[in-house]
Amino acid sequence: MSTRIALVMHDPLGAAFQACARHVLGRRPDLTVFDIVPDADPADQAARILDWVRADGAQEPVLMLCDLYGATPFNIAVQARRQALENGYMVHLLTGTNACMVLKALTDQQENPESFSERVRQGALRGIVNAEPPCDC
């Protein structure tokens, strides 16, 4: 069982992450992008995401990646996730997405959705490095 991946982000960030993943992996990444424009109706966008979640049935878990905690795309994803969970779907949501996180999600599929979600989160943290050389003061 593989986890379906969605990017729910401020427009055009999701498409940019998708293009970056295509460049790095050398293939079209298997993910869906929901770039949220500034004047988007949150209820309509949540319904669109929920329709996507429902498309393959409850057998396929979903991982949604958002850019900023508390921002509009995150709130839309939370609303879609809440409705999906109420309908028996397995949906995980992570925020603070960076390129390492997207690439980890695309290359490290796990059987267990909970451990997969945590491994993706850890991948994001491992990609954050202070690369400044030490000071020889």
Side-chain angles (χ1 to χ4, degrees), residues 96 98 100 122-131:
N98 62 25
C100 291
Q122 289 296 322
L125 296 175
R126 283 190 300 278
I128 301 170
V129 176
N130 184 353

Side-chain angles (χ1 to χ4, degrees), residues 15 33-34 52 57 73 80 96 107-109 128-129 131:
V33 173
F34 296 95
W52 174 80
T107 59
D108 188 19
Q109 290 284 326
I128 301 170
V129 176

Side-chain angles (χ1 to χ4, degrees), residues 56-135:
D56 284 348
Q59 296 77 20
E60 295 293 322
V62 169
L63 174 62
M64 289 192 283
L65 303 175
C66 293
D67 50 358
L68 297 173
Y69 177 80
T72 300
F74 170 78
N75 293 329
I76 289 168
V78 166
Q79 182 180 349
R81 180 179 183 265
R82 183 178 307 121
Q83 293 172 350
L85 291 174
E86 288 172 0
N87 291 300
Y89 294 90
M90 187 180 315
V91 180
H92 292 266
L93 174 60
L94 295 175
T95 65
T97 301
N98 62 25
C100 291
M101 196 173 187
V102 173
L103 293 170
K104 183 71 169 174
L106 291 168
T107 59
D108 188 19
Q109 290 284 326
Q110 299 288 314
E111 289 296 318
N112 181 316
E114 288 79 18
S115 66
F116 174 62
S117 179
E118 178 58 20
R119 288 176 59 91
V120 169
R121 190 185 73 79
Q122 289 296 322
L125 296 175
R126 283 190 300 278
I128 301 170
V129 176
N130 184 353
E132 293 294 321
C135 178

Side-chain angles (χ1 to χ4, degrees), residues 15-29 103 106:
F17 275 124
Q18 183 179 42
C20 178
R22 180 181 300 126
H23 172 79
V24 171
L25 299 174
R27 61 176 167 81
R28 187 178 188 286
L103 293 170
L106 291 168

